[in-house]
Amino acid sequence: MTSDKSQQYIQRGELKLLTGNANTKLAESIAKSLNTSLGEAEIEKFSDGEIKIKINESIRGKDVYIVQPTSSPTNDNLMELLIMIDACRRASAGYINAIIPYYGYARQDRKTRGREPITAKLVANLITEAGADRVITMDLHAGQIQGYFDIPVDHFTAIRLLSEYFQDMAYDKADEFVVVSPDLGGVRRAREFSDYLKLPIAIIEKRRPMPNVSEVMSVIGDFKGKSAILVDDMVDTAGTITNAANYLIENGAKDVYIAATHGVLSGSAIERLENSKVKEVVFTNTIELPEEKKIDKLTQLEIGPLLAEAIHRINTYESISGLFEDVQ
């Protein structure tokens, strides 16, 4: 951080960084980039499984940032976040900022048939009612979820970070590489990725007979003889993305890479990725992965410094609109 620049701005209050159990390594990375330490908080469980949280230092009037993606175990991590927000509110924190790098329950963002919930809106209501003043998140499953909140939402994307990873390999090599969207809904994301690398784009047309199951119908665009980079917001069970990768290889692609912000990796995802024809899988560390999921073909990119810069700018009332070119 540039201290001479930050002195031009008035702070919202002393910055205090807290974390739940969901991604402590990311919180430590953010703290290191901010040249600060994590706040003292105890997170335990009662014998019946209820979550017990105690903050062991004063946060009265302070600008508090809580790092807690709502990844698996989703319900526990969500409740940790809500309880920690409530604890900060009752401790008279000046501002409460929820840093949710991965926003769970986002896939039910609208009603597609009768008697369905909209869980993305429900969770937004819970976070707001708990007492959060601001939400900082990355690559929501659907951009409109920002509008479900009645508090400010800073929605960043990891597209630039992911594309920079491939820059030395693929930049301006239109004859050798192609960026592929795994479905029609991800075209904008793939277009932004391809614009950074100056590569052509292809689109997979698929259908979903049931959740987490997909069938490739056709591919719009030229991919034969090229290395394909499949770009998505998340990889969950990896069924859809590995089906797409295998289809591309079987129909003429040279090799396939996967680039996604969130590595959810539930169920048989790791087995599918290992057994697929994918050459490399690149995620960010919005979700902390256990050692057994860190296979050789998987690479995680560090987003701690980026989130730290966002926190610094919010705390000092600096503009964050130029932090990433793709800030929403």
Side-chain angles (χ1 to χ4, degrees), residues 11-280:
Q11 287 187 324
R12 303 202 301 177
E14 181 185 346
L15 189 154
K16 182 59 65 176
L17 190 66
L18 300 173
T19 184
N21 287 323
N23 198 336
T24 55
K25 289 182 180 179
L26 175 58
E28 290 167 357
S29 172
I30 294 172
K32 182 178 179 181
S33 295
L34 289 168
N35 196 28
T36 188
S37 57
L38 289 172
E40 297 179 16
E42 296 178 15
I43 304 175
E44 302 173 341
K45 285 188 176 182
F46 291 102
S47 59
D48 65 351
E50 291 181 6
I51 295 168
K52 176 184 178 183
I53 290 178
K54 182 181 178 183
I55 299 173
N56 292 326
E57 58 183 286
S58 174
I59 55 173
R60 182 177 295 272
K62 295 183 180 179
D63 190 18
V64 178
Y65 296 81
I66 303 169
V67 182
Q68 181 77 344
T70 52
S71 49
S72 179
T74 307
N75 296 334
D76 282 356
N77 287 334
L78 176 58
M79 284 305 300
E80 276 188 22
L81 174 63
L82 297 175
I83 295 170
M84 190 168 283
I85 291 171
D86 183 73
C88 291
R89 178 173 62 88
R90 297 179 188 277
S92 300
Y95 295 91
I96 303 171
N97 308 273
I99 303 176
I100 313 172
Y102 171 71
Y103 184 83
Y105 281 110
R107 281 172 282 189
Q108 293 184 89
D109 61 316
R110 64 193 185 281
K111 288 185 67 171
T112 57
R113 57 179 66 88
R115 299 174 297 282
E116 280 190 341
I118 304 179
T119 57
K121 171 60 175 170
L122 171 63
V123 171
N125 288 345
L126 291 171
I127 292 168
T128 304
E129 290 300 315
D133 297 302
R134 188 183 207 100
V135 168
I136 301 166
T137 189
M138 294 193 73
D139 284 316
L140 291 166
H141 189 63
Q144 67 264 24
I145 294 172
Q146 297 171 75
Y148 295 171
F149 288 88
D150 294 323
I151 56 177
V153 176
D154 296 314
H155 180 213
F156 299 109
T157 178
I159 289 294
R160 166 55 69 89
L161 181 65
L162 290 166
S163 62
E164 285 178 348
Y165 178 82
F166 290 92
Q167 191 162 19
D168 290 341
M169 181 193 310
Y171 181 76
D172 208 14
K173 296 180 179 178
D175 294 336
E176 301 176 35
F177 283 84
V178 60
V179 176
V180 181
S181 172
D183 52 40
L184 296 172
V187 172
R188 179 182 175 185
R189 185 182 303 110
R191 176 62 66 190
E192 291 171 353
F193 191 97
S194 67
D195 285 346
Y196 284 133
L197 296 177
K198 297 186 178 180
L199 297 177
I201 186 173
I203 305 165
I204 292 178
E205 182 188 7
K206 68 182 183 185
R207 69 182 186 96
R208 284 189 178 274
M210 61 185 70
N212 293 120
V213 176
S214 67
E215 297 176 359
V216 176
M217 306 297 289
S218 63
V219 178
I220 304 168
D222 181 24
F223 66 93
K224 294 184 179 180
K226 297 183 179 183
S227 295
I229 306 174
L230 276 163
V231 180
D232 212 344
D233 65 320
M234 71 168 73
V235 175
D236 186 0
T237 63
T240 296
I241 204 81
T242 53
N243 283 346
N246 292 337
Y247 179 91
L248 292 171
I249 290 290
E250 291 164 4
N251 287 272
K254 182 180 177 183
D255 44 40
V256 176
Y257 300 83
I258 293 173
T261 303
H262 311 296
V264 180
L265 302 182
S266 64
S268 302
I270 291 298
E271 182 180 352
R272 288 192 179 107
L273 288 171
E274 283 206 290
N275 295 332
S276 73
K277 298 177 181 178
V278 175
K279 187 171 184 179
E280 185 178 10

